[in-house]
Amino acid sequence: MSVLDLGVPAVPGSATATTDTSGRPDDARLVDSWGRVATDLRVSLTDRCNLRCTYCMPAEGLEWMPSEEALTDEEVVRLVRVAVERLGVQEIRFTGGEPLLRKGLEDIVAATAALTPRPEMSVTTNALGLTRRAAGLAAAGLDRVNASLDTLRRDRFAEITRRDRLDDVLTGLRAAREHGLDPIKINTVLMPGLNDDEAPDLLAWALEEGYELRIIEQMPLDAGHSWQRDRMITAEQILASLRTRFTLSDDPAERGGAPAERFLVDGWTGHDGTPAKVGVIASVTRPFCGNCDRTRLTADGQVRNCLFSQTENDLRRFLRGGGSDEEIADAWRVAMWGKKPGHGIDEPGFLQPDRPMSAIGG
Ligand code: SAM
């Protein structure tokens, strides 16, 4: 590969990659200059989606990544292997866009399951297509599922996602449960005037079904750049709403790098016999960046060290330019060393990243 390739942004509009490694210790893992170690990898497998959630992308969709720019299944597996074998990554989450739109997902999962040490594997999905795919994904080695669902009302579901497919989501979730994908976590975003009255109903349903509900604060990651902080439902409001029907207490378990702050739901037992829990992911009002253990790969092979990062480091050029596994590992280490201490949403100069959530991988 030519030295001239180094530092050239691969994505139009993305800033130059991080290259400064001064002070970095001789550590094979994905350490950053603030003492954190990334062990959890989110891999986006496509920027496309079969829903059109109003808070995520426009009705007509987005300008999709040309297929030749996206990594092939083999390229994805190679990067995952480098992450696990050389960089100490222990957990992999496949996401998108909608990862179930990726035909080779089962093959990617099976190849990941064959790695040593075998990483924990999950998928973040809208659950459409799980009815058909759950058996194959479980057989390939997928451990668990995070599914997105913002409402239990058919008319609202159609309004929020612009598709009338609530029943397909619910049957997809049941299929995942039948095939032993466990636990099933449900991710919900509440929006004022749309579904913010539904938190207690969603929790009651999740408790009955044996799913774990997690309610996420809306973040400035929409394609339309229309997020407004004063229009966002905060963790405080979420908890107040849940407490109108449930008694919640702090979960004494160690939170570690988990994004969700968890609460025990009094009087309820989870499907595994432990006290039932509900999570709140308060990325905006109670950020947890200090414990972040995540690293991200976009579908075109760019490392992002934060959801909100303004820079990306290109790994695809090594894959397509004859680079070695150790060169890939090194470039990844460099990318993570440059991780900022926090996402900076509250800082005056905060800029939303160019890529929307659907193209980064949620
Ligand atoms: N298609 C998959 C799904 O539906 O889970 C994976 C990608 S989707 C972008 C991942 C998650 O991001 C979903 O739970 C979605 O609700 C959430 N999401 C999208 N835009 C968001 C935003 N601006 N703030 C918070 N969460 C968002």
Side-chain angles (χ1 to χ4, degrees):
M1 156 176 344
S2 152
V3 178
L4 291 175
D5 291 339
L6 297 171
V8 176
V11 182
S14 75
T16 310
T18 314
T19 52
D20 183 8
T21 54
S22 43
R24 191 185 184 283
D26 184 18
D27 191 321
R29 301 171 304 164
L30 293 173
V31 296
D32 68 39
S33 59
W34 304 91
R36 296 165 296 191
V37 184
T39 54
D40 179 346
L41 167 61
R42 307 280 161 107
V43 184
S44 174
L45 294 176
T46 176
D47 60 341
R48 295 169 200 230
C49 193
N50 42 6
L51 293 182
R52 291 287 180 274
C53 299
T54 47
Y55 60 92
C56 193
M57 63 168 78
E60 65 279 13
L62 294 165
E63 199 178 314
W64 309 125
M65 181 183 293
S67 53
E68 64 279 9
E69 285 187 15
L71 301 186
T72 63
D73 292 354
E74 292 70 26
E75 288 172 331
V76 170
V77 170
R78 182 168 174 209
L79 292 184
V80 169
R81 182 170 55 71
V82 168
V84 170
E85 292 180 349
R86 292 177 186 256
L87 299 169
V89 163
Q90 298 163 3
E91 205 176 328
I92 315 274
R93 169 95 55 90
F94 296 109
T95 180
E98 175 44 50
L100 264 61
L101 293 180
R102 182 95 182 201
K103 287 198 182 64
L105 179 60
E106 288 80 353
D107 294 337
I108 294 172
V109 168
T112 304
L115 296 173
T116 308
R118 182 199 187 283
E120 275 281 302
M121 255 184 301
S122 59
V123 68
T124 298
T125 173
N126 59 30
L128 291 177
L130 261 188
T131 311
R132 254 183 326 105
R133 309 275 292 275
L137 287 167
L142 190 72
D143 296 305
R144 48 194 185 79
V145 168
N146 282 27
S148 306
L149 183 61
D150 299 327
T151 178
L152 293 165
R153 302 192 199 170
R154 187 174 162 190
D155 53 339
R156 277 191 185 175
F157 185 92
E159 189 187 350
I160 293 172
T161 68
R162 301 188 177 103
R163 302 285 187 271
D164 184 10
R165 305 213 44 199
L166 176 62
D167 286 348
D168 296 329
V169 170
L170 299 179
T171 49
L173 291 174
R174 274 181 230 121
R177 186 172 55 196
E178 275 154 28
H179 291 285
L181 295 168
D182 175 64
I184 294 176
K185 296 183 184 173
I186 306 293
N187 292 339
T188 299
V189 179
L190 294 181
M191 286 143 298
L194 258 185
N195 63 343
D196 57 334
D197 57 350
E198 235 183 298
D201 286 350
L202 280 155
L203 179 54
W205 165 80
L207 292 167
E208 290 287 350
E209 296 287 339
Y211 305 145
E212 184 179 323
L213 178 70
R214 296 131 44 95
I215 304 185
I216 308 174
E217 284 182 347
Q218 194 178 359
M219 296 178 276
L221 287 169
D222 56 310
H225 290 230
S226 61
W227 179 88
Q228 287 173 284
R229 193 184 174 122
D230 56 359
R231 295 272 305 151
M232 182 201 86
I233 305 293
T234 63
E236 203 178 327
Q237 292 169 304
I238 293 166
L239 288 167
S241 172
L242 291 173
R243 284 183 163 129
T244 59
R245 209 183 302 168
F246 297 93
T247 303
L248 307 180
S249 56
D250 292 346
D251 181 1
E254 186 61 39
R255 182 171 168 191
E261 197 178 333
R262 302 215 288 188
F263 299 85
L264 306 183
V265 188
D266 191 39
W268 285 88
T269 303
H271 69 294
D272 59 356
T274 64
K277 300 176 188 74
V278 60
V280 176
I281 303 185
S283 316
V284 180
T285 63
R286 303 180 187 175
F288 36 87
C289 305
N291 289 322
C292 181
D293 61 0
R294 281 169 289 289
T295 179
R296 295 172 185 276
L297 264 185
T298 61
D300 53 353
Q302 312 297 308
V303 179
R304 295 181 64 90
N305 57 27
C306 173
L307 259 181
F308 296 94
S309 177
Q310 291 291 336
T311 62
E312 298 181 342
N313 287 51
D314 182 15
L315 297 186
R316 191 183 58 190
R317 68 200 163 103
F318 295 100
L319 296 167
R320 298 190 177 172
S324 68
D325 285 357
E326 195 48 28
E327 279 178 291
I328 293 171
D330 256 338
W332 208 325
R333 292 181 187 113
V334 170
M336 294 310 292
W337 182 247
K339 185 174 172 115
K340 298 223 166 98
H343 56 43
I345 291 177
D346 278 329
E347 284 163 26
F350 174 76
L351 282 179
Q352 188 172 329
D354 286 344
R355 291 202 202 230
M357 181 76 136
S358 57
I360 296 171

